[in-house]
Amino acid sequence: MKFILINSVLVIFCHLNVMGQIYNYQEDVKTKSIWESTIVKANSSKVFTEIEGPGIIKKLWLTTFPSNDKENIELAKNVIINIYWENSESAAVSVPLADFFCQPLKLQAIENHFFHSTNNQLLFASTIPMPFRKTARLEVKNSLDKEFELFFGIDIESKVIEKDAMYLHTYWQNSIDLSADEPFLILPELNGKGRYLGTHLSLYQRNPFKNWPWYTRPVTIFLDSKSNNQKPSLYIKTLDDFFGSAWWDREDEHNTYTYQYIGRPLVETDKHNNLKIVLYRYHIQEPLWFKESIKIEIGKNWNWGNQKIESGNWTTTSFLYLNEPSNEFNLKGKY
């Protein structure tokens, strides 16, 4: 795209191969939308849709009848969404609803590049592109002792998928009472070929202090290098840098912010001075490609004077594309 100023008038020249995609007719593409509902029994799993390919899931929208705030977040944390590609027996995506849709500690209105919700009433929407060739199977697993009605909307583009198109995968991990001298594994070492897309992180931190010393942890990223005998491909000294910010310890007020690729949509401190915080980052403009392997880890806290950093509950959801429809991951941890 070019910008030229002519007599104080801004003239914009757009390359047709970028902007033309919006209005150019595509002969071999068909749009399909599914709008239905189903009852999900207590303590059971329910496949709510199966889609024949090839195609791309362009939007996924889910909701159910809301209750009070406590019961709403309980449902969102105890219902897992599973997505299977190409009749695989193992789910490529397996994450609690709240964590997948970037509302891991509190249901709230949010908008970023991939996820949005207009209120705090159990509304979840994603626009992450999810290509598949033969079949896509979407399922929810209900761990609650009560049933609920799931309403869902799915928009699909039926089209031939490019040869190098990859499958969406997730890895969910949490650690209760993680001490300051313990590392946290965002993504274990995975052998394969793909692209790391982004991270959701939620933290319940006891006694966070005003200058937030808990965030002085490095992030190491290994791309196509074994973590046990090679230097990391990327080393980011603190979490604020990794999540696209800086100098959290010097902020007068720890406010929320949400942008397309980075955000801090939740910052709350309760009456006992415990912090709830949610962060996200998507690697769109600086993609992380790997041909053989990948691993991402949050390291131990490095020394911060005389402040005693207490333990916290850490949870992350990793999003990545892989060239295979199934992976070696399983849902880890428990609430």
Side-chain angles (χ1 to χ4, degrees), residues 266-298:
L266 179 67
V267 179
E268 286 187 355
T269 304
D270 64 21
K271 62 181 180 180
H272 301 294
N273 195 34
N274 298 315
L275 171 69
K276 288 183 178 180
I277 185 169
V278 173
L279 305 163
Y280 65 82
R281 179 178 180 181
Y282 309 124
H283 302 271
I284 305 302
Q285 296 173 314
E286 70 300 350
L288 299 177
W289 298 100
F290 54 96
K291 296 180 180 180
E292 298 177 359
S293 63
I294 182 173
K295 178 183 177 182
I296 304 178
E297 184 177 55
I298 298 174

Side-chain angles (χ1 to χ4, degrees), residues 104 184 186 199-203 214 239 243 277-280 298 314-317:
F184 180 86
I186 292 180
T199 309
H200 295 168
L201 183 148
S202 63
L203 170 64
W214 55 266
L239 284 174
F243 283 98
I277 185 169
V278 173
L279 305 163
Y280 65 82
I298 298 174
W314 294 68
T315 304
T316 54
T317 302

Side-chain angles (χ1 to χ4, degrees), residues 49 86 167 192 244 293:
T49 193
E86 320 300 17
Y167 300 94
S293 63

Side-chain angles (χ1 to χ4, degrees), residues 70-201:
K70 181 180 178 181
E71 291 187 2
N72 287 349
I73 191 64
E74 182 182 25
L75 185 148
K77 298 296 282 188
N78 287 279
V79 174
I80 294 169
I81 181 167
N82 294 321
I83 303 178
Y84 304 81
W85 307 122
E86 320 300 17
N87 293 313
S88 175
E89 294 183 0
S90 60
V93 172
S94 186
V95 187
L97 289 178
D99 297 79
F100 183 87
F101 290 97
C102 204
Q103 303 176 61
L105 293 179
K106 180 181 180 180
L107 302 185
Q108 62 182 123
I110 186 173
E111 181 182 14
N112 60 40
H113 190 67
F114 289 127
F115 301 95
H116 71 266
S117 176
T118 56
N119 55 46
N120 64 345
Q121 299 299 311
L122 286 169
L123 172 61
F124 307 106
S126 165
T127 55
I128 294 183
M130 306 183 203
F132 60 100
R133 291 171 174 82
K134 295 180 180 179
T135 62
R137 185 169 81 254
L138 283 72
E139 172 189 74
V140 287
K141 180 181 179 181
N142 180 14
S143 298
L144 297 172
D145 293 328
K146 60 182 179 180
E147 68 177 31
F148 66 93
E149 185 172 7
L150 177 70
F151 300 89
F152 56 95
I154 307 171
D155 293 338
I156 307 110
E157 276 191 358
S158 296
K159 59 185 292 186
V160 176
I161 303 303
E162 299 89 341
K163 183 179 179 180
D164 57 355
M166 297 183 291
Y167 300 94
L168 181 69
H169 292 258
T170 60
Y171 180 76
W172 181 88
Q173 176 69 292
N174 80 325
S175 182
I176 305 299
D177 290 327
L178 185 76
S179 67
D181 59 357
E182 291 180 288
F184 180 86
L185 197 60
I186 292 180
L187 186 69
E189 191 162 290
L190 168 70
N191 295 318
K193 178 181 179 180
R195 173 183 179 173
Y196 189 78
L197 191 60
T199 309
H200 295 168
L201 183 148

